[in-house]
Amino acid sequence: MTEQNDSATTQPTAPETIRAIARELHDARVGVYTVPYVSPRLPERDLDAAYAISAEFAQLRERELGVRPVGRKVGLTNPLVQARVGVFEPDYGIIHDDMVFASGVVLPASRYNRLLIEAEVAFVLKDDILEATPEAIIAAIDYVTPAFEIVDFRYDGSVGQIVDTIADNAGCSGVVLGEEKHPYGSVDLTEVEMVITGGGEEITRGVGSNVLGDPINAIQWLAETAIRTGQPLRAGEVLLSGSIGYIEPWPADVECVATISGLGRVVATVDSEK
């Protein structure tokens, strides 16, 4: 997977443990409730096991809910966010077709445990990425657009340890795509400025270079990881590159707007009555 375990003597996590934890997370997501952190049941920093849980979690959704994968997200790419949650490396999760919404959507609060809001640059592919060179990645990009990631964990607390967030699909419960589509390269993504407001009040802000120096670097990390794990990025996929600002609680019953300079905006509202 993405990294070897720290101890060569660590025993692999049993397949039945992986299946059991994935089932717990899946059922908690369907039932909208929380479960304990999974890290106490895994060897320290067993990233292979955490990603195996995440993959089984995704497959349960596909088998039992009939959803299909349409994209992937990279998380924890912003050092400001890393410092706040105490996790200092990226992770990734799966985006299914029932998780993608258009700008202007009203999200029922009752579908989520504790919503967090973040804004980022989304990349949409027109071709597969079968080699993780900058040239191949850039050539495969159809367009970029602003996006909200709908962040919701199945835990009572926040991110937890790296294995907790990985197992829980990197906290990804959806994406809201922006109103405009722009060719990659039409805007310098290192210099874009992002602001999120809720009901006219600023929630967070940041610049594109917060995301691994350049959001395209997050896509390269994802492309390399996807190829290494035998699941290369495919044409049509939506790819989230990571939060430009802080990840904050999502205020209910007010229109939230994220504006990214040169790319336009994305709008969504969480309705506490739904």
Side-chain angles (χ1 to χ4, degrees):
M1 284 287 179
T2 59
E3 180 176 322
Q4 296 296 315
N5 295 334
D6 288 349
S7 173
T9 61
T10 298
Q11 294 297 313
T13 300
E16 55 268 28
T17 299
I18 289 170
R19 290 193 295 268
I21 293 173
R23 168 58 67 182
E24 289 174 17
L25 291 169
H26 173 271
D27 290 352
R29 179 165 179 173
V30 172
V32 194
Y33 58 83
T34 59
V35 296
Y37 287 120
V38 305
S39 48
R41 286 184 280 172
L42 300 178
E44 186 176 2
R45 291 187 54 78
D46 190 347
L47 303 191
D48 286 353
Y51 278 115
I53 293 165
S54 179
E56 175 65 17
F57 183 3
Q59 290 164 16
L60 282 170
R61 298 196 80 238
E62 291 159 21
R63 291 197 301 267
E64 299 189 6
L65 304 179
V67 300
R68 61 184 182 87
V70 295
R72 288 171 247 194
K73 62 82 50 104
V74 190
L76 300 172
T77 54
N78 183 332
L80 300 175
V81 175
Q82 290 179 344
R84 177 177 282 190
V85 303
V87 175
F88 298 96
E89 58 197 287
D91 62 3
Y92 68 88
I94 304 298
I95 301 169
H96 287 113
D97 56 355
D98 67 331
M99 297 164 59
V100 181
F101 304 93
S103 184
V105 67
V106 176
L107 301 167
S110 60
R111 292 184 185 174
Y112 307 96
N113 288 318
R114 185 172 57 88
L115 276 178
L116 304 173
I117 192 171
E118 65 177 71
E120 52 203 271
V121 178
F123 295 71
V124 178
L125 301 183
K126 60 185 177 182
D127 294 306
D128 299 347
I129 299 179
L130 302 180
E131 55 178 320
T133 64
E135 296 78 12
I137 292 168
I138 291 170
I141 297 169
D142 189 6
Y143 62 87
V144 295
T145 188
F148 282 130
E149 182 178 347
I150 303 167
V151 179
D152 188 38
F153 286 98
R154 264 41 65 184
Y155 311 123
D156 285 328
S158 57
V159 172
Q161 297 182 24
I162 184 68
V163 293
D164 294 304
T165 180
I166 289 171
D168 192 16
N169 198 40
C172 184
S173 289
V175 54
V176 185
L177 295 177
E179 299 172 345
E180 301 178 16
K181 302 176 181 179
H182 295 268
Y184 177 78
S186 62
V187 176
D188 184 345
L189 297 182
T190 67
E191 296 185 353
V192 295
E193 298 181 353
M194 181 282 298
V195 180
I196 302 177
T197 59
E201 298 292 325
E202 183 174 314
I203 295 174
T204 187
R205 65 170 53 236
V207 296
S209 60
N210 285 345
V211 181
L212 294 182
D214 186 331
I216 195 69
N217 293 334
I219 303 305
Q220 182 162 9
W221 179 89
L222 180 60
E224 291 170 348
T225 302
I227 291 169
R228 186 165 60 250
T229 57
Q231 298 175 320
L233 303 175
R234 298 298 186 184
E237 285 202 56
V238 177
L239 310 176
L240 298 183
S241 55
S243 182
I244 295 175
Y246 284 116
I247 305 173
E248 299 288 356
W250 196 316
D253 305 317
V254 296
E255 184 178 74
C256 289
V257 180
T259 302
I260 300 180
S261 59
L263 297 182
R265 67 178 200 157
V266 58
V267 180
T269 303
V270 171
D271 189 334
S272 64
E273 299 299 320
K274 290 187 177 181

